[in-house]
């Protein structure tokens, strides 16, 4: 049985199109790499950051963490006060793939990202390619984070997407698994070359352009 053609693509942002990593900031605050890694693993943990992605305010997050680690106040506060320094820039090779996809007249493009609403508003003007998307869903605005199935439902219902004709791209295995379980054509992002090959395998990047008729 032939699979239906892909009608939409949903991209994760951080780690796929945007190089975000708190290490970009904290390497300027620590002289010792192992000490930095210990701080990121036990103080400003991924779980702590995910709560902001789920809608918790940064003011509340900082206050809560400083209360538990008062000796680390300046470093904790830096996570918010110097947050722009956690951005490493555009992942150009993947954006090049996205640029090719947007030339496909039969394909709609969307983004779904675990991201704090407060910090996404800071990041958005820095990345003009975000305007290429037909719609963007940010977890911090919804109060739900991937891999919760509800946020995939938000994307599908808001933009009228059929999972079986929608490719989903993410660098986190748990998010890819969640999307696949809901019927999306899920791809785990490794690098741009692998992504290009997988998209081509789904019939994208090589579809003929629709000819434009004379007026």
């Amino acid at each position: 049985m032939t699979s239906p053609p892909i009608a939409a693509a949903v991209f994760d942002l951080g780690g796929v199109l945007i190089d975000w990593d708190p290490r970009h900031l904290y390497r300027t605050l620590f002289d010792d790499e192992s000490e930095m890694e210990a701080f990121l693993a036990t103080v400003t943990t991924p779980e702590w950051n995910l709560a902001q992605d789920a809608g918790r305010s940064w003011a509340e997050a900082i206050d809560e963490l400083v209360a538990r680690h008062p000796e680390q106040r300046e470093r904790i506060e830096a996570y918010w006060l110097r947050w722009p320094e956690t951005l490493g820039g555009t992942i150009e090779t993947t954006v090049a793939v996205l640029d090719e996809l947007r030339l496909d007249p039969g394909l709609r493009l969307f983004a779904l990202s675990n991201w704090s609403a407060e910090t996404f508003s800071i990041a958005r003007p820095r990345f003009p390619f975000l305007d290429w998307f037909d719609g963007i869903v940010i977890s911090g605005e919804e109060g739900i984070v991937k891999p919760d199935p509800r946020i995939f439902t938000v994307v599908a219902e808001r933009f009228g997407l059929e999972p079986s004709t929608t490719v989903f791209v993410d660098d986190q295995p748990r998010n890819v698994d969640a999307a696949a379980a809901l019927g999306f054509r899920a791809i785990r992002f490794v690098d741009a070359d692998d992504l290009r090959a997988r998209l081509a395998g789904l019939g994208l990047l090589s579809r003929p352009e629709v000819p434009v008729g004379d007026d």
Side-chain angles (χ1 to χ4, degrees):
M1 181 177 177
T2 304
S3 298
I6 300 298
V10 179
F11 276 77
D12 178 31
L13 296 178
V16 176
L17 293 162
I18 296 172
D19 174 18
W20 175 84
D21 192 329
R23 290 168 182 81
H24 295 316
L25 164 63
Y26 281 98
R27 285 194 178 101
T28 71
L29 300 177
F30 285 90
D31 295 324
D32 183 271
E33 188 88 1
S34 61
E35 186 181 351
M36 177 193 72
E37 292 295 343
F39 175 85
L40 294 174
T42 62
V43 182
T44 55
T45 65
E47 293 76 20
W48 173 79
N49 183 66
L50 191 65
Q52 284 76 270
D53 290 349
R56 179 171 66 176
S57 74
W58 276 95
E60 180 184 349
I62 296 299
D63 287 348
E64 178 265 333
L65 205 56
V66 167
R68 289 195 282 122
H69 303 276
E71 76 287 356
Q72 297 283 8
R73 172 184 289 274
E74 289 187 9
R75 286 169 171 166
I76 292 169
E77 290 178 340
Y79 206 115
W80 166 240
L81 297 176
R82 296 176 59 181
W83 184 85
E85 294 176 57
T86 66
L87 292 171
T90 299
I91 301 176
E92 297 289 353
T93 52
T94 319
V95 172
V97 174
L98 184 69
D99 196 15
E100 289 183 48
L101 288 174
R102 73 188 183 115
L103 299 177
D104 186 333
L107 189 70
R108 299 163 70 205
L109 297 174
F110 302 94
L112 169 59
S113 186
N114 281 353
W115 205 309
S116 157
E118 291 175 277
T119 54
F120 185 69
S121 65
I122 297 170
R124 180 156 191 168
R126 297 176 177 232
F127 301 100
F129 71 82
L130 293 174
D131 292 335
W132 299 349
F133 291 111
D134 296 294
I136 299 175
V137 171
I138 296 300
S139 65
E141 298 173 354
E142 306 298 329
I144 314 168
V145 293
K146 296 177 289 184
D148 190 319
R150 292 177 298 167
I151 198 163
F152 294 97
T153 300
V154 168
V155 173
E157 293 183 349
R158 183 168 299 168
F159 302 122
L161 306 182
E162 172 55 50
S164 65
T165 61
T166 302
V167 61
F168 172 74
V169 181
D170 198 295
D171 63 323
Q172 296 298 317
R174 64 183 181 275
N175 299 336
V176 173
D177 291 345
L182 294 170
F184 288 87
R185 311 289 286 278
I187 296 174
R188 182 188 176 191
F189 178 77
V190 178
D191 58 43
D193 289 340
D194 180 76
L195 175 61
R196 185 182 295 278
R198 291 176 179 274
L199 291 173
L202 293 173
L204 299 174
L205 298 176
S206 58
R207 298 202 300 210
E209 293 187 12
V210 176
V212 178
D214 296 330
D215 292 332

